[in-house]
């Protein structure tokens, strides 16, 4: 009886603090909502000030005018649309396979669907982290996700480090060499 009253008091305090019903509001979701609202407010303030408006019109509008016709042209050709979506699907499937292989390299065999869910959650979190390639946020999210699926913490972290080494760090020197070659060949 005493524990039930304590739980109700805790719920009431949380409800008062965050407003609304207790199960409607997650503090982390509130932080994300406030960040998005703040960014939207910053854009509106920038558009309200003449200097900000000039910046937006001068820098972003020409880019949008160049990009929109290209995007429309891609979506008018069914082969290009198929290639776009097939390539994106193949890329994601290869990342799921790489993460699955990294976990199996340490002797653990989680189910492929659970690894896929962990990878996609990590990719979403990584896109929200303001670092190149989601560095740090992706690793933390993937490690936490793999632990949640039942892997030991040390195996999960080791698997994620191996995965990121193979999919994030190793391609960098090859990309740099390719960029240098293409610049010397005046291809870009």
């Amino acid at each position: 009886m005493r524990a039930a009253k304590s739980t109700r008091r805790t719920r009431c305090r949380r409800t008062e603090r965050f407003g609304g019903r207790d199960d409607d509001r997650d503090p982390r979701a509130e932080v994300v909502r406030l960040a998005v609202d703040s960014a939207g407010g910053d854009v509106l303030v920038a558009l309200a000030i003449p200097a900000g408006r000039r910046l937006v019109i001068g820098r972003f509008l020409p880019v949008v005018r160049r990009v929109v016709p290209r995007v429309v042209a891609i979506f008018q050709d069914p082969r290009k649309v198929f290639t776009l979506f097939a390539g994106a699907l193949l890329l994601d499937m290869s990342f799921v396979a790489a993460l699955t292989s990294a976990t199996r390299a340490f002797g653990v065999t989680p189910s492929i669907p659970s690894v896929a869910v962990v990878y996609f959650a990590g990719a979403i979190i990584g896109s929200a982290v303001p670092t190149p390639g989601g560095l740090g946020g992706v690793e933390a999210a993937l490690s936490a996700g793999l632990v949640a699926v039942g892997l030991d913490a040390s195996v999960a972290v080791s698997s994620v480090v191996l995965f990121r080494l193979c999919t994030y760090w190793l391609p960098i020197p090859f990309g740099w060499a390719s960029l240098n070659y293409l610049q010397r060949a005046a291809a870009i």
Side-chain angles (χ1 to χ4, degrees):
M1 184 77 167
R2 186 177 183 111
K5 286 183 181 178
S6 173
T7 304
R8 271 189 245 133
R9 268 190 242 125
T10 304
R11 281 190 185 150
C12 287
R13 282 189 210 121
R14 271 195 241 141
T15 304
E16 291 170 1
R17 193 176 337 145
F18 297 112
R21 290 190 356 231
D22 179 41
D23 56 342
D24 285 346
R25 304 274 177 132
D26 180 15
R28 292 170 292 201
E30 288 296 307
V31 169
V32 171
R33 186 187 61 78
L34 288 173
V36 169
D37 288 349
S38 173
D42 293 345
V43 169
L44 289 176
V45 168
L47 291 174
I49 300 170
R53 229 181 355 261
R54 281 192 301 273
L55 175 74
V56 169
I57 291 171
R59 285 204 175 164
F60 298 114
L61 200 56
V63 173
V64 170
R65 284 187 179 145
R66 283 194 316 261
V67 169
V68 168
R70 292 179 184 173
V71 171
V72 169
I74 288 173
F75 280 102
Q76 288 176 344
D77 185 1
R79 287 179 297 176
K80 288 183 180 180
V81 172
F82 176 77
T83 303
L84 173 74
F85 287 111
L89 180 64
L90 183 63
L91 180 68
D92 285 334
M93 286 177 21
S94 67
F95 280 137
V96 169
L99 185 56
T100 304
S101 299
T103 58
R104 292 185 180 186
F106 291 98
V108 182
T109 57
S111 69
I112 294 175
S114 63
V115 172
V117 169
V118 168
Y119 166 72
F120 288 119
I124 290 169
I125 292 170
S127 67
V129 176
T131 58
L135 200 56
V138 171
E139 288 82 0
L142 290 177
S143 298
L146 288 175
V147 168
V149 213
L151 271 69
D152 184 46
S154 61
V155 173
V157 170
S158 300
S159 299
V160 169
V161 168
L162 177 63
F163 168 73
R164 289 293 276 181
L165 178 70
C166 293
T167 60
Y168 184 76
W169 291 105
L170 283 180
I172 291 174
F174 296 107
W176 176 76
S178 299
L179 177 65
N180 282 337
Y181 171 75
L182 292 172
Q183 284 178 337
R184 275 185 272 138
I188 55 172

